[in-house]
Amino acid sequence: MTCNGSPPVGDMPSLMTFREVETLFHETGHGLQHMLTKVDVGDTAGINGVEWDAVELPSQFMENFCYDKPTVDRFARHWETGESLPDELFDKLLKQRTFGAGMMACRQTYFGQLDLELHSKFIPGGEETIFDVQKRVAAKYSPHMLPVEGDRFLTAFNHIFAGGYAAGYYSYKWAEVMSADAFAAFEEVGLDNEDEVKRVGRKFRDTVLSLGGGSHPADVYKAFRGKKATPDALLRHNGLD
């Protein structure tokens, strides 16, 4: 992996920010899916051929370990003293994770639904303009932050008009649902229960990380979890349950 991390400053070594650590864990998830694939056909090996609904599952799943204190204590140490990350600082990391989570959830569901409306139902020259659709969807999903008169956010919504996410922006939030539900499998057996964590980890490796795009992601996920993903774990992680 090639990452743009914080460079050294003066006599200090390169020290990663917490956001950079999250990014490293995230990209490691993609790397694991490539390295552990058991699919022989290149077009469906690793992350290749995996629907956008599920392609971010392994990466966002890995980010959860950044909020597990025993995991963080294994690497987060002061570069001069070797002291592990103090509990009070780790508590602040946990609190910033849920700060504004409700508004962010509204924002993402608003964007996702707006994308679907424009790409599946909007009729050019019909009764509604694209800006009418924007206001209608915003009123349902983001009533606390309605578009002001003259708002032209849509002209800069590059994800769905120039970035390849047309009718697929919802996958951002859906990937969060799947990754949280997958991590819950480890929480349910106890993150401090090493034998059980290894057992669940091997199952995750043999399904999500190894089957690539050769199987439908819903079937792959059910093979790992034994059920469909639900938003319960994500709501809990975000402090919204």
Side-chain angles (χ1 to χ4, degrees):
M1 291 189 294
T2 302
C3 301
N4 294 323
S6 297
V9 178
D11 295 330
M12 294 178 62
S14 173
L15 300 175
M16 299 175 71
T17 66
F18 181 73
R19 193 62 62 201
E20 289 171 343
V21 172
E22 275 192 309
T23 298
L24 182 60
F25 272 64
H26 178 105
E27 302 305 338
T28 297
H30 288 308
L32 287 172
Q33 193 168 20
H34 270 306
M35 291 185 287
L36 299 176
T37 187
K38 293 182 179 179
V39 179
D40 295 327
V41 180
D43 287 345
T44 55
I47 68 172
N48 297 321
V50 179
E51 285 85 344
W52 283 30
D53 304 63
V55 74
E56 293 293 338
L57 166 57
S59 53
Q60 292 191 190
F61 163 81
M62 287 296 296
E63 291 181 30
N64 288 284
F65 286 102
C66 294
Y67 296 92
D68 175 53
K69 189 61 161 61
T71 298
V72 172
D73 283 344
R74 290 189 179 100
F75 66 86
R77 298 185 179 278
H78 194 281
W79 71 281
E80 291 179 311
T81 67
E83 179 188 5
S84 59
L85 186 70
D87 289 341
E88 58 268 26
L89 290 182
F90 185 75
D91 288 341
K92 288 184 178 180
L93 289 175
L94 296 180
K95 289 178 180 177
Q96 65 83 28
R97 187 187 192 187
T98 58
F99 179 79
M103 295 183 69
M104 181 57 72
C106 288
R107 177 181 183 272
Q108 289 298 83
T109 49
Y110 159 43
F111 286 173
Q113 187 59 42
L114 179 60
D115 177 28
L116 288 172
E117 287 277 340
L118 291 174
H119 282 93
S120 62
K121 296 181 179 180
F122 175 67
I123 301 175
E127 295 182 359
E128 283 188 312
T129 68
I130 58 173
F131 304 111
D132 292 333
V133 175
Q134 178 189 6
K135 291 177 181 178
R136 173 167 56 79
V137 176
K140 180 177 181 180
Y141 293 93
S142 186
H144 59 284
M145 194 168 58
L146 296 174
V148 297
E149 195 63 36
D151 177 281
R152 291 298 180 264
F153 156 73
L154 286 176
T155 62
F157 198 0
N158 291 332
H159 282 78
I160 68 172
F161 294 122
Y165 270 90
Y169 192 90
Y170 72 89
S171 60
Y172 272 105
K173 182 55 67 176
W174 179 241
E176 288 184 47
V177 170
M178 294 184 72
S179 62
D181 190 81
F183 190 71
F186 291 80
E187 293 176 316
E188 288 164 9
V189 300
L191 291 172
D192 56 347
N193 188 333
E194 187 172 345
D195 291 336
E196 282 299 293
V197 166
K198 286 182 178 180
R199 180 185 64 80
V200 177
R202 283 192 291 268
K203 192 173 183 180
F204 188 72
R205 178 197 64 190
D206 294 338
T207 52
V208 175
L209 296 178
S210 69
L211 297 180
S215 303
H216 194 285
D219 297 332
V220 173
Y221 191 80
K222 192 170 183 180
F224 163 62
R225 198 71 167 94
K227 68 178 187 68
K228 295 180 179 179
T230 68
D232 298 350
L234 179 62
L235 293 172
R236 174 167 53 80
H237 291 171
N238 287 345
L240 300 174
D241 59 346

